[in-house]
Amino acid sequence: MTAPTKLPHSTSGPAGSDSEGVLGEPLHSPVVAWFDEHARDLPWRRPEAGAWGVMVSEFMLQQTPVSRVLPVYEQWLARWPRPADLAGEAPGEAVRAWGRLGYPRRALRLHGAAVAITERHGGDVPSDHAQLLALPGIGEYTAAAVASFAHGQRHAVLDTNVRRVFARAVTGVQYPPNATTAAERRLARALLPQDERTAARWAAASMELGALVCTAKNESCHRCPIASQCAWRQAGKPEHDGPPRRGQTYAGTDRQVRGKLLAVLREAHGPVPQADLDRVWHEPVQRARALDGLVADGLVEPLPGGLYRLPLT
């Protein structure tokens, strides 16, 4: 049996240092080969998707499964095939088209990014990582993902699936911390292949491995290309003993109420009176709190006379 991969004494060297990539060498080939054979055919992975298609998918896929994203993604790209097309519409139209994907502030952020791309970069999604990171609504993960998946660059792309694969295969624990840590970032850099093309492929492959095989529950170790090297498996798959993992409760929460209120506004062709919103939730205090939150987040625009609409500016 192959010994589990060992962490180096330090993984905090600068990007591109000789120590980077060495740790992950036994993992790269089997994971990338597995990906070549088993990767899902997703529209944002096709060459015609371009950088804009990749960016749209990354916004939509945050905390949302692929099955729910696919139809909305296709409709979105058909309507707004370039950032300038979206930038030319009111932000409320982005919220409307977002439908029931959840976390609708992502729609406003994507609209804001489209406006900035149009104004600063002539309507083309930039390839430079720093320029991507400077766009509104773009954080560390999304900038790295777009640079890697759309432009084939060498960046550590750390989503929940990747973090879980690294936690198990290298660190030997069942789950990563609730929030990404500096140690995880150092580990991701240490695992990153030196070759740019291989690094981009590794980023996509390790993410797909976490999505399809090294899942949060009912993991399929018998299908894993690096099962023999997995530190967690070799340790007997010990149960998680860290802080409780955050659940994804929805029923009865303010998030559910916000969704119901937004649904009314999305389906309306004009401003909506308060009475129409009051009908969707029985508890007035929670309903008012949810509506106030939507207004504060810029997702709903209040008008004189107790009317509400999706934002126009």
Side-chain angles (χ1 to χ4, degrees):
M1 181 178 291
T2 305
T5 306
K6 298 295 185 181
L7 283 167
H9 292 298
S10 174
T11 59
S12 57
S17 66
D18 291 342
S19 64
E20 285 193 4
V22 175
L23 174 64
E25 284 180 357
L27 309 177
H28 298 154
S29 292
V31 171
V32 170
W34 172 87
F35 183 66
D36 290 342
E37 183 176 354
H38 298 283
R40 291 169 290 181
D41 178 21
L42 300 173
W44 45 85
R45 288 178 176 164
R46 299 168 192 161
E48 61 267 25
W52 175 238
V54 171
M55 178 175 285
V56 170
S57 75
E58 288 301 332
F59 271 80
M60 291 184 173
L61 287 165
Q62 294 167 22
Q63 298 179 292
T64 308
V66 166
S67 59
R68 288 180 58 198
V69 166
L70 281 169
V72 182
Y73 174 88
E74 299 282 9
Q75 294 164 10
W76 191 284
L77 268 294
R79 181 174 178 180
W80 298 308
R82 288 180 51 80
D85 301 317
L86 176 59
E89 297 254 22
E93 287 305 302
V95 176
R96 193 189 309 278
W98 200 255
R100 302 187 64 81
L101 282 182
Y103 303 99
R105 276 179 289 182
R106 293 179 293 170
L108 288 183
R109 290 169 183 155
L110 184 51
H111 182 274
V115 171
I117 290 167
T118 303
E119 294 175 347
R120 302 176 194 171
H121 303 288
D124 294 322
V125 176
S127 59
D128 180 76
H129 180 266
Q131 290 179 335
L132 285 166
L133 199 55
L135 294 173
I138 303 289
E140 174 188 354
Y141 165 78
T142 304
V146 173
S148 179
F149 301 152
H151 300 295
Q153 296 176 14
R154 182 180 183 271
H155 294 282
V157 183
L158 272 176
D159 81 335
T160 302
N161 289 317
V162 176
R163 294 174 60 225
R164 186 169 56 251
V165 169
F166 292 174
R168 292 174 180 175
V170 181
T171 313
V173 296
Q174 185 177 18
Y175 298 118
N178 284 333
T180 306
T181 65
E184 287 181 282
R185 294 186 180 94
R186 289 194 299 269
L187 173 59
R189 290 196 298 269
L191 291 170
L192 200 59
Q194 290 281 4
D195 174 69
E196 193 167 54
R197 183 179 181 279
T198 306
R201 198 70 176 161
W202 161 255
S206 54
M207 187 176 295
E208 190 80 332
L209 186 66
L212 299 183
V213 175
C214 194
T215 51
K217 297 179 180 178
N218 303 315
E219 63 279 351
S220 301
C221 296
H222 64 284
R223 296 194 293 124
C224 180
I226 54 172
S228 64
Q229 303 178 58
C230 177
W232 181 57
R233 185 170 176 265
Q234 291 199 16
K237 299 169 73 169
E239 293 288 330
H240 176 68
D241 64 355
R245 300 176 67 229
R246 291 193 292 260
Q248 291 286 335
T249 56
Y250 182 73
T253 63
D254 283 6
R255 207 176 127 228
Q256 183 185 23
V257 184
R258 285 164 60 103
K260 287 182 174 292
L261 295 172
L262 275 181
V264 174
L265 293 164
R266 281 198 307 269
E267 294 164 7
H269 297 291
V272 172
Q274 177 80 54
D276 288 0
L277 298 176
D278 289 346
R279 293 191 190 102
V280 303
W281 197 254
H282 62 283
E283 208 290 304
V285 174
Q286 187 179 29
R287 186 179 64 236
R289 183 172 65 241
L291 182 58
D292 288 345
L294 289 171
V295 172
D297 289 341
L299 289 161
V300 172
E301 185 178 338
L303 300 173
L307 300 174
Y308 296 87
R309 70 182 178 193
L310 296 176
L312 293 181
T313 58

